[in-house]
Amino acid sequence: MRFIHASDLHLGMIPDGQKSWGRERSNALLSSLDKIVDLALKENVDALFLLGQSFHFSPLKEDVERIRQNLSRIPFCHVFFYSKPDLSYHFLNSAIFPRNVHILKEEQEQLYIEELNLEILSLQEKADRKKALEHFTPEHSGAIPVLLCNVSREEPFPQNPEKLQALPFSYVALGGEADKQILLADKVVFSGSPEALSKENLGEHGVFLGNLDPLQKKIDALQFIRLADTQYISLHFRLDTGVGTEMLRNRLSDEIKKRGMQHIYRIKFSGKRDPETHVGEDLLPQNSRVIEWIDESVPEYDFYNLYREHSNDLIGFYIRSYLKKGNENLSAREKDSLHYGISALLSGGKK
C-alpha cells in the first residue's frame, strides 16, 4: 500500500505578510495541495493522509469547493482529511465528497477501509490519547493498523523509543508541527507543513511518501519529498578586524547567490570588527529577501588612541573611567559596557 503523509497546510495564511513577498508566500501555501495531489497522481498512491490544521481560518464555501475539486482528481486514492466538530467548520462538514474522501470530524474515530485492508485510529488534539492507545484493538483480524494523530504543544507525543516501538501500529502519522521530525525510523513521523510557515521553520519542507508491506505489515520504504521551492535559511557571519566593508558585501552576496535568491534569510553577525566596517542591510544584493537582521558584532577600538584624541570631551572622560583600573583588569561585563558605550557616543547616541 503506497501512501502520502502530509500535514498542516494552513491554507489562507500569509507568512511574512508585511514583506513584499508576503502574497507570494500565501500563494505557495494555496498551491501546496495542488502539488500533493500531483504527486499522488504521479506515484499512484492508495492513501493520502492530510493531518494537522489544513485551514488557517475557518473554511468558507469557496475554500471547501476548491478542496473538493482538487481531491476529485484522485478518485482511486483514499483521502483522510481532518475537520473540527463545530459551527466554524460548517461548510466543510456539510459538503458532499466522493466515497474515497473521509472527513474526520470527531475527537476519536476508528474506521476500516476494506479494499486496502486498512484499520485507522484517528485522534484529534483533545482526544484522550493515553486511553485510546491502551484500548485500541483492530476490529478486523489481519488488517493493517495505522494511527493518525494530531498533536498539540500542550500535550506532545511521547518520544521514548521503547514506547514508540511498542505502539500497536504499522505506521503512526502525526500532525500539528510545522517542521518534519522522525521520532522513530519507518514508524512514527511528523511530516511537517509542505511549506514553511514562518522564519522559525528552517530547512526543506514537503511530504513523506511511503509503502506499507501488506504481508509484513511494516514500512518497507519511506522517503521525504521536497515540495517547497522557498526555504528560510539562517546565516551567521563571525567578523574580525580583517573584514572590511567591501569584503563583507562580497561575502553576503556570494552566500546568498550560492544558496538561491528565492530563499528568505535570517542573518546574524558576531565577533569583533574594525570600527570602520559598515554592517548594514544596504550591503545586501539587490532583490534579496531578509526577514531578520541581527548585528551583535562589536567594534574593536584602540581605546588609548581614542583617549588621546578625545582627552577633553565626554568620550575621553568615559574611556578614562574604565581604563584607570587597567584594560586587563576589566571584567567581561565592563569590557562590553565600554565597547557599547563608546559605540553609542561615536555615533551620536544612535548605536
Side-chain angles (χ1 to χ4, degrees), residues 54-192:
S54 293
F55 297 98
H56 193 63
F57 304 105
S58 300
L60 301 176
K61 189 173 182 180
E62 52 266 34
D63 299 324
V64 175
E65 178 60 21
R66 186 174 186 274
I67 294 289
R68 193 191 66 78
Q69 291 184 5
N70 218 331
L71 296 181
S72 69
R73 298 163 54 202
I74 47 173
F76 55 85
C77 174
H78 284 272
V79 180
F80 301 87
F81 190 80
Y82 273 95
S83 181
K84 293 182 180 180
D86 55 56
L87 288 176
S88 64
Y89 274 62
H90 165 74
F91 290 113
L92 179 58
N93 293 335
S94 61
I96 298 175
F97 285 89
R99 61 179 295 274
N100 65 302
V101 179
H102 311 276
I103 305 297
L104 305 171
K105 307 173 187 177
E106 305 303 323
E107 293 298 336
Q108 179 176 335
E109 294 184 51
Q110 190 166 335
L111 60 159
Y112 175 68
I113 310 300
E114 183 176 3
E115 60 190 279
L116 300 180
N117 193 27
L118 185 66
E119 186 111 17
I120 296 283
L121 174 63
S122 166
L123 302 176
Q124 298 225 37
E125 294 94 330
K126 296 181 181 178
D128 188 338
R129 187 197 309 153
K130 183 177 180 181
K131 182 179 179 181
L133 296 180
E134 287 177 351
H135 293 86
F136 172 74
T137 302
E139 297 176 355
H140 297 79
S141 178
I144 302 172
V146 168
L147 173 64
L148 307 182
C149 183
N150 281 344
V151 179
S152 66
R153 292 186 178 181
E154 291 73 25
E155 191 177 356
F157 205 79
Q159 298 195 18
N160 182 289
E162 293 181 0
K163 290 184 178 180
L164 295 178
Q165 191 64 59
L167 290 172
F169 301 96
S170 300
Y171 185 67
V172 177
L174 301 175
E177 288 286 344
D179 293 316
K180 67 180 186 296
Q181 185 180 6
I182 298 177
L183 300 186
L184 186 66
D186 295 337
K187 184 167 183 177
V188 185
V189 176
F190 279 105
S191 69

Side-chain angles (χ1 to χ4, degrees), residues 18-32:
Q18 77 283 11
K19 297 294 186 179
S20 60
W21 60 83
R23 179 54 58 184
E24 179 186 318
R25 298 296 304 127
S26 177
N27 290 336
L29 263 66
L30 286 173
S31 65
S32 61

Side-chain angles (χ1 to χ4, degrees), residues 197-260:
L197 304 178
S198 77
K199 66 180 182 180
E200 308 302 326
N201 307 137
L202 302 173
E204 295 185 334
H205 283 256
V207 300
F208 280 89
L209 174 66
N211 189 71
L212 261 168
D213 187 318
L215 298 178
Q216 297 292 326
K217 295 184 176 58
K218 290 183 179 180
I219 297 286
D220 60 15
L222 185 67
Q223 66 177 124
F224 176 76
I225 306 293
R226 181 180 63 83
L227 294 183
D229 296 322
T230 299
Q231 300 176 35
Y232 290 91
I233 295 176
S234 182
L235 298 178
H236 181 192
F237 296 90
R238 186 165 184 83
L239 306 182
D240 57 51
T241 54
V243 178
T245 300
E246 284 308 307
M247 182 183 294
L248 181 56
R249 187 195 306 276
N250 292 334
R251 284 177 61 182
L252 279 165
S253 179
D254 290 346
E255 290 295 331
I256 290 175
K257 290 179 179 178
K258 178 174 67 177
R259 287 169 170 78

Side-chain angles (χ1 to χ4, degrees), residues 14-26 199 232 264-265 281 288-293:
I14 307 178
D16 306 341
Q18 77 283 11
K19 297 294 186 179
S20 60
W21 60 83
R23 179 54 58 184
E24 179 186 318
R25 298 296 304 127
S26 177
K199 66 180 182 180
Y232 290 91
I264 303 167
Y265 293 89
E281 294 189 49
S288 56
R289 301 173 173 185
V290 175
I291 189 66
E292 184 176 82
W293 180 277

